[in-house]
Amino acid sequence: MNLVLFGVGSQFNEEFRSTLAALPMSSRTVRRRIRHGDVDGKFREHMDIRVADSLDEPLLGTGERDTDQVERCVNGSDQDLWDDQKKETMHWSFLFSQLITQWAQWLESILLCSTSLVGKLVTLPLRLQNRGEKAVYISPLQEQRLRALRKRLEVPYDGSQLDHQHALKELWKLAYPGRQIPPLKSELWKDMGWQGTDPSTDFRGGGFISLENLIFFAKKYPDAFRKLLNKEEGNRSEWEYPFAVAGINISFMLSQMLDLQSELPSSKVGIRFVQLLAADEAAFDELYCVAFKLLDAQWLARRASYMEFNEIVKMTRMQLERELLLDDVVTIADLPAYTMLMR
């Protein structure tokens, strides 16, 4: 911007010097007459200052005819000379105003371009900030998949919607293929691990995505899903955790752990998960299955009971965070806990 303004100033100074050279009286003459006025008297000093500072008066000539020319201009005897000089002054005033206008336009363009460039330079590194550490860029594909996942998280479960009812019935068919689907309100839903006769009352924390996670688990890993549902592995507690409600809690825990409630994740685990989305659009659902299997393993190792469920959820979260931050993890299948799904 400095180079452009310097160019404008140089052009203006050159034209202005040529203008002064063409006029009868130069700037040096004005300064000389002011200094001469300091010695000769106040009349010329006053007259010269008024002429030099005025933007409405024409510049006067030099030499011995100065006094005569002033008198003729005042008396109207040299009206033609007055008019010519006035036109010339107006002409150069017009050129000066044109230069100022062009200068202002150039300056505005430079400022707009600079603002746009600075805005881009500031915005790009802020895609994903790891709380003061080096910025991490995400691809358009990762950003698209993250946006779609956040949209899923915003959908609450609504028992009055037919598609939500159909999804709940689909989960029952996957869990109990040979059994008849019960009504939406029935004691039979407790067999799956819902707390009451109406499963819709248990979705408060998880939303519709928690039901989608359970359906994904049942379809993708049916053997592991069945073993968890029926509590087939290990020495179980007399007071077991309810399967379906535990699944809702895991969905909620993952959304908090991965910082998905924010517009853009800022935690290390959240940023790593966004990177995993590039490899698999269903990374959240896959991680859900791993988390459910890991929770059950923690439950058995701790020989926990129902009252310790929240503590087991915290332990599961800590283990997942450690595994997600391993250097060699580039997909969900690379997690050490993922192998438990294959057993």
Side-chain angles (χ1 to χ4, degrees):
M1 181 167 68
N2 291 335
L3 291 176
V4 176
L5 296 183
F6 179 77
V8 174
S10 299
Q11 181 181 358
F12 171 74
N13 289 337
E14 183 178 352
E15 293 185 12
F16 194 70
R17 282 196 297 269
S18 61
T19 301
L20 293 180
L23 294 176
M25 178 178 183
S26 67
S27 58
R28 289 182 300 173
T29 303
V30 174
R31 290 195 296 268
R32 185 170 63 251
R33 291 180 62 193
I34 289 176
R35 291 196 297 270
H36 181 68
D38 292 337
V39 178
D40 269 353
K42 296 182 179 180
F43 172 77
R44 289 190 179 181
E45 178 183 6
H46 173 73
M47 178 189 68
D48 289 340
I49 292 176
R50 177 180 59 83
V51 172
D53 292 342
S54 175
L55 297 179
D56 299 325
E57 296 283 342
L59 294 175
L60 301 180
T62 59
E64 299 177 352
R65 296 184 303 165
D66 287 350
T67 304
D68 295 337
Q69 288 180 351
V70 172
E71 292 177 355
R72 286 198 302 271
C73 289
V74 173
N75 297 328
S77 61
D78 199 0
Q79 186 64 37
D80 293 338
L81 178 60
W82 180 282
D83 291 341
D84 291 341
Q85 292 179 348
K86 187 172 183 179
K87 289 178 182 179
E88 191 173 10
T89 303
M90 293 178 64
H91 171 71
W92 289 109
S93 299
F94 174 75
L95 291 180
F96 179 76
S97 64
Q98 290 286 82
L99 282 174
I100 293 297
T101 302
Q102 187 177 10
W103 190 5
Q105 291 174 351
W106 286 343
L107 181 61
E108 182 181 4
S109 299
I110 293 169
L111 290 176
L112 287 176
C113 292
S114 300
T115 303
S116 177
L117 179 60
V118 171
K120 292 179 180 179
L121 292 176
V122 171
T123 302
L124 285 176
L126 294 180
R127 288 267 185 200
L128 289 179
Q129 288 285 358
N130 189 10
R131 292 176 179 169
E133 298 184 8
K134 185 178 179 180
V136 179
Y137 296 91
I138 62 175
S139 67
L141 177 62
Q142 291 169 319
E143 190 173 3
Q144 178 184 358
R145 290 178 174 178
L146 177 61
R147 191 184 306 113
L149 178 57
R150 292 184 68 250
K151 188 175 181 180
R152 289 175 61 193
L153 289 168
E154 295 171 357
V155 179
Y157 179 84
D158 186 352
S160 64
Q161 294 190 24
L162 292 179
D163 56 338
H164 291 200
Q165 296 177 11
H166 291 329
L168 186 60
K169 293 177 181 179
E170 182 183 7
L171 177 62
W172 179 273
K173 288 191 295 184
L174 292 169
Y176 308 109
R179 296 175 59 178
Q180 184 179 0
I181 301 175
L184 294 177
K185 293 183 180 181
S186 171
E187 291 287 338
L188 294 176
W189 288 106
K190 294 181 180 179
D191 295 345
M192 191 185 291
W194 302 101
Q195 294 186 103
T197 59
D198 183 4
S200 63
T201 60
D202 290 329
F203 283 99
R204 290 183 298 272
F208 185 64
I209 193 174
S210 58
L211 179 55
E212 292 178 324
N213 293 152
L214 284 168
I215 293 174
F216 180 89
F217 192 5
K219 288 182 176 180
K220 185 69 178 290
Y221 306 101
D223 290 340
F225 177 86
R226 188 191 69 255
K227 291 177 181 179
L228 291 179
L229 172 66
N230 299 323
K231 303 295 193 327
E232 296 178 3
E233 295 180 329
N235 296 322
R236 315 303 305 194
S237 170
E238 294 182 1
W239 197 7
E240 281 288 316
Y241 64 86
F243 173 80
V245 174
I248 293 177
N249 278 268
I250 292 173
S251 298
F252 179 77
M253 179 269 289
L254 289 179
S255 67
Q256 296 293 314
M257 181 187 77
L258 302 176
D259 199 19
L260 296 177
Q261 303 299 330
S262 304
E263 184 176 356
L264 287 175
S266 58
S267 64
K268 291 182 179 180
V269 176
I271 293 174
R272 172 56 66 89
F273 174 75
V274 173
Q275 294 171 339
L276 298 180
L277 281 175
D280 187 0
E281 185 177 6
F284 184 84
D285 300 270
E286 292 282 359
L287 185 60
Y288 172 88
C289 299
V290 175
F292 212 145
K293 191 67 177 180
L294 181 60
L295 179 141
D296 191 71
Q298 298 272 16
W299 179 273
L300 292 175
R302 185 75 175 262
R303 296 184 178 181
S305 63
Y306 184 83
M307 299 302 295
E308 299 173 275
F309 179 77
N310 289 336
E311 184 65 25
I312 297 300
V313 171
K314 292 179 181 178
M315 293 173 59
T316 303
R317 172 172 175 167
M318 292 174 60
Q319 181 63 27
L320 283 176
E321 289 177 341
R322 284 194 293 265
E323 294 191 10
L324 282 169
L325 294 177
L326 295 175
D327 293 335
D328 57 347
V329 172
V330 293
T331 66
I332 299 299
D334 295 328
L335 296 173
Y338 179 82
T339 57
M340 292 189 296
L341 290 171
M342 304 295 105
R343 296 175 185 173

